[in-house]
Every structure is written in C-alpha cells, then in structure tokens.
Amino acid sequence: MKTKILSVIALLSSMTILAQNTQTETKTTTSNVKDSQGEHKTVKKEITKGVQKIELGQEKSNTTNIPTIDSPVVITTTTKVTNPDGSTRTVNIDRSAYYESNGRKYKLELDAYGYVMSYGNSKPALLRKTSTNSYIYQLKNKIAIGYFDSNNNLIIETYDNKSDKVSVEKFLVIK
C-alpha cells in the first residue's frame, strides 16, 4: 500500500515540472528634458524575454534517451517607463518609431503619459491612451482619435463639424 501511495505522489510531482529555456535581456534608456519648469528625467526600461519549451519526442525501443524536438521561441517585450514624478507605467508594445505622412517625417516617442509626436521644431502632438486601446490625439486646437493598424501604421481619424464627415490620415511606419 505504501508503495502505491509513494508511486502516485512521485507521478503527480513529476507531472508538474515544466522544462523550458529562458533568456532575458534588459535595455535601459534615460532621457532628460529641460523646459521652463526645470529638468525632467524619464527612464525607459525595455525587458525582452524569450521562452522556449522543451518538448520530448517519441521514445525509441531499446534506448534510455528520449530525443528532444525543436519548439518555437516565444518572445515578449515589456517596457516600463519611470516618470519624472516617480510613478511607473508598463507598456506592452512600444510603438516609438519614425512615421511618414504627406512627405513629412514624424518622430513618435514615449513620454510620461503616452506618446509625443514631433515634426521638426513645431509644437509636438500628444497621444494619450484610452481604455479602448486607442489614443486621443491633441495638437493645438485639433482633437482626434488615433490607433495603430495591423501593420503598425498610425491612423488618425478627425471629425469635421462643418461637413459632418470623418477624415482619415495615415502615418506609415518607417522600418
């Protein structure tokens, strides 16, 4: 009876073991911004983690070893932004990049509360995340809705009160 109980315990405990290869890489970027209110420091920490589960192949007769099967590596990237006030937010997908629209090149980068989109020396547009996985786009007196399509392009939809129509502007990501 004892051997049966010990066998069941050994079997159950061996089933909970999950074999996998993991590799983690961390990249930290610090940016200092000076404005009329002083200097602000923002720290961006990007953590890239690759996980590969180890899978076993078919057991061959008259051998003691079981071959392993190559399995895909699942890569996840998480970005943690530490704001100047000390608060931290987590961004699952960092969409900071250069974008192009109407022959102009725009720079989109993370800031303390979302993204800042700049073109040359002009005043930057602000993108603030909403609860519906879209962004509120604000530039001077223009307020619109923005989102990223499946190709990582930025789409800005603006409502025109005079014509009662929605105009769509597409910012193509530069790879």
Side-chain angles (χ1 to χ4, degrees), residues 46-61:
E46 189 173 300
I47 303 166
T48 304
K49 184 176 182 181
V51 177
Q52 180 181 24
K53 292 186 179 179
I54 298 174
E55 297 179 9
L56 299 177
Q58 292 292 333
E59 180 181 358
K60 295 179 182 174
S61 59

Side-chain angles (χ1 to χ4, degrees), residues 75-126:
I75 297 176
T76 56
T77 302
T78 304
T79 303
K80 292 186 178 185
V81 179
T82 303
N83 301 323
D85 63 358
S87 64
T88 303
R89 69 182 180 105
T90 302
V91 179
N92 291 329
I93 300 173
D94 183 4
R95 302 200 190 260
S96 298
Y98 286 96
Y99 292 82
E100 183 180 27
S101 179
N102 297 326
R104 292 182 175 176
K105 188 175 179 181
Y106 297 87
K107 183 179 181 181
L108 186 71
E109 55 189 346
L110 281 171
D111 78 341
Y113 305 105
Y115 290 99
V116 174
M117 187 174 196
S118 57
Y119 169 71
N121 292 330
S122 62
K123 183 178 179 184
L126 301 176

Side-chain angles (χ1 to χ4, degrees), residues 2-167:
K2 288 182 182 179
T3 56
K4 286 184 180 180
I5 293 174
L6 291 175
S7 298
V8 169
I9 291 173
L11 178 68
L12 291 176
S13 66
S14 67
M15 293 175 75
T16 60
I17 297 174
L18 178 64
Q20 62 186 13
N21 291 330
T22 59
Q23 184 175 359
T24 304
E25 181 180 313
T26 303
K27 178 182 170 187
T28 304
T29 306
T30 303
S31 61
N32 293 318
V33 177
K34 289 184 180 180
D35 61 11
S36 61
Q37 295 153 352
E39 185 172 332
H40 305 288
K41 178 180 175 183
T42 302
V43 179
K44 181 172 111 175
K45 188 175 186 180
E46 189 173 300
I47 303 166
T48 304
K49 184 176 182 181
V51 177
Q52 180 181 24
K53 292 186 179 179
I54 298 174
E55 297 179 9
L56 299 177
Q58 292 292 333
E59 180 181 358
K60 295 179 182 174
S61 59
N62 299 330
T63 61
T64 57
N65 296 332
I66 299 175
T68 60
I69 300 172
D70 286 336
S71 61
V73 178
V74 178
I75 297 176
T76 56
T77 302
T78 304
T79 303
K80 292 186 178 185
V81 179
T82 303
N83 301 323
D85 63 358
S87 64
T88 303
R89 69 182 180 105
T90 302
V91 179
N92 291 329
I93 300 173
D94 183 4
R95 302 200 190 260
S96 298
Y98 286 96
Y99 292 82
E100 183 180 27
S101 179
N102 297 326
R104 292 182 175 176
K105 188 175 179 181
Y106 297 87
K107 183 179 181 181
L108 186 71
E109 55 189 346
L110 281 171
D111 78 341
Y113 305 105
Y115 290 99
V116 174
M117 187 174 196
S118 57
Y119 169 71
N121 292 330
S122 62
K123 183 178 179 184
L126 301 176
L127 286 143
R128 299 298 181 236
K129 189 164 178 65
T130 67
S131 60
T132 59
N133 209 18
S134 60
Y135 294 84
I136 297 172
Y137 174 88
Q138 192 265 325
L139 176 64
K140 298 178 185 171
N141 60 354
K142 178 181 180 180
I143 297 179
I145 299 294
Y147 60 91
F148 294 93
D149 65 8
S150 60
N151 296 322
N152 289 329
N153 298 317
L154 176 61
I155 311 296
I156 303 292
E157 296 184 358
T158 308
Y159 174 71
D160 184 7
N161 201 17
K162 294 177 184 175
S163 65
D164 194 28
K165 302 228 184 237
V166 175
S167 62

